[in-house]
Amino acid sequence: MRYRTIGQQAVSAIGLGAMPLSIENRPDEKRAVATVHAALDAGVTLIDTADSYHWHAGETGHNELLVARALARYWGDTSGVLVATKGGRGRPGDGSWTVTGTPDHLKRAAEASLKRLGTDAIGLYQLHKPDPEVPWAESVGALRDLLDAGTIRAAGISNVTTDQITEARGILGDGLVSVQNRYSPAVRDSEAELRLCERLGLAFLPWSPLGGISRSSLEGASGPVSEGTAFHEVASERGVSPQQVALAWLLARSPVVVPIPGAGRPASIRDSAKAPGLELSDEELARLE
């Protein structure tokens, strides 16, 4: 496994997006834990979760608790694993998502996440989404307070614009270490945010990094088949999965990129973890553009 950095911490170049383990159509706990363990076995040292990753009402923190149990049951050393969680969104149980960015809510949410994860401080705490009803500086200020209190070691922001990144950097200084925006073969509208992160030395964590590339080609997966793209062509020529090509393409976009593909089964994360070893040629990268 190759490594990149988030703040001062080295992490695997590919992380595990744990959301599929807790939301709609989630696997049973045995398979969910096996998926986390497969990630760790493959050298993954970044796990992305959130307090809002759950399915039913009253399950706040389901994914955080699951990740904590999986880490506790792992037979190897997990001291180098960075668990990144998020606060500021909710799920009332009807399939919808809410946004709450008040400082009081974010501070309470962080304290609750800390208890569920069972650590002395949250390694990376990310504001899940800007709340249009709350001034951005107030929401980010809550992260500053959490840093100062030692509740979190580093802060991140998600679903943000370049202006919001710049303002957050002014409030948090070096405490801001990451930005998590949607970016994939199918969705590339965060290019400006990626380049700003590059200039500021912030890690850029693309969420839903396999958008446009179906998982259905992997063993045991299901769903609509996507095919015929340049990613599939390169994958066929290389004898690897299109998912590996998509992740290798993302890694080639910038040295600050750390993709966090979701996985609901061990085979998925094992495949994704091979992407850092796939070096794409200039001609292949040009085709993928």
Side-chain angles (χ1 to χ4, degrees):
M1 177 62 72
R2 297 183 180 182
Y3 291 84
R4 295 198 165 178
T5 58
I6 298 179
Q8 299 299 313
Q9 184 163 348
V11 297
S12 55
I14 294 291
L16 169 65
M19 183 174 74
L21 304 177
S22 291
I23 61 169
E24 289 83 344
N25 302 311
R26 63 195 181 203
D28 60 29
E29 177 148 336
K30 182 178 179 180
R31 195 177 86 184
V33 170
T35 300
V36 176
H37 288 179
L40 298 172
D41 287 343
V44 172
T45 62
L46 171 64
I47 300 176
D48 180 80
T49 180
D51 61 1
S52 57
Y53 290 168
H54 61 88
W55 187 350
H56 308 291
E59 286 189 330
T60 299
H62 181 281
N63 199 241
E64 293 172 322
L65 289 167
L66 174 64
V67 168
R69 288 195 297 271
L71 289 172
R73 296 174 190 173
Y74 187 64
W75 48 85
D77 181 13
T78 60
S79 60
V81 175
L82 174 62
V83 176
T85 192
K86 295 178 286 293
R89 301 207 73 179
R91 300 201 75 191
D94 59 1
S96 66
W97 295 75
T98 60
V99 181
T100 307
T102 61
D104 284 348
H105 172 82
L106 292 172
K107 291 175 185 178
R108 289 196 305 270
E111 292 288 352
S113 291
L114 178 61
K115 291 179 181 178
R116 286 189 288 265
L117 293 172
T119 59
D120 57 346
I122 297 173
L124 174 58
Y125 191 71
Q126 303 160 98
L127 201 164
H128 206 153
K129 187 175 183 179
D131 184 342
E133 303 299 321
V134 178
W136 179 237
E138 292 185 12
S139 295
V140 176
L143 299 183
R144 177 74 267 170
D145 291 343
L146 289 166
L147 284 166
D148 292 342
T151 306
I152 66 176
R153 295 193 180 96
I157 50 179
S158 183
N159 299 299
V160 288
T161 65
T162 53
D163 287 344
Q164 289 168 331
I165 295 171
T166 300
E167 186 174 359
R169 180 58 177 260
I171 296 169
L172 298 170
D174 292 339
L176 178 66
V177 300
S178 66
V179 169
Q180 186 175 143
N181 276 16
R182 188 177 186 183
Y183 195 93
S184 70
V187 181
R188 308 187 189 189
D189 55 6
S190 282
E191 189 69 31
E193 288 75 21
L194 168 57
R195 298 308 158 194
L196 178 57
C197 287
E198 197 173 57
R199 293 194 295 274
L200 295 176
L202 303 175
F204 185 86
L205 282 56
W207 63 265
S208 194
L210 298 176
I213 308 295
S214 172
R215 276 287 190 192
S216 55
S217 60
L218 294 177
E219 179 184 357
S222 61
V225 176
S226 60
E227 57 186 12
T229 71
F231 291 88
H232 292 79
E233 293 169 3
V234 171
S236 178
E237 294 164 6
R238 288 295 201 100
V240 299
S241 71
Q243 293 79 23
Q244 281 187 49
V245 175
L247 294 171
W249 170 77
L250 280 166
L251 290 168
R253 301 294 294 166
S254 170
V256 303
V257 170
V258 185
I260 46 172
R265 52 177 48 81
S268 297
I269 190 58
R270 289 192 193 108
D271 183 73
S272 292
K274 297 175 183 177
L278 179 62
E279 293 286 349
L280 298 172
S281 69
D282 291 341
E283 183 273 334
E284 288 170 329
L285 289 171
R287 288 166 61 190
L288 298 176
E289 286 302 306

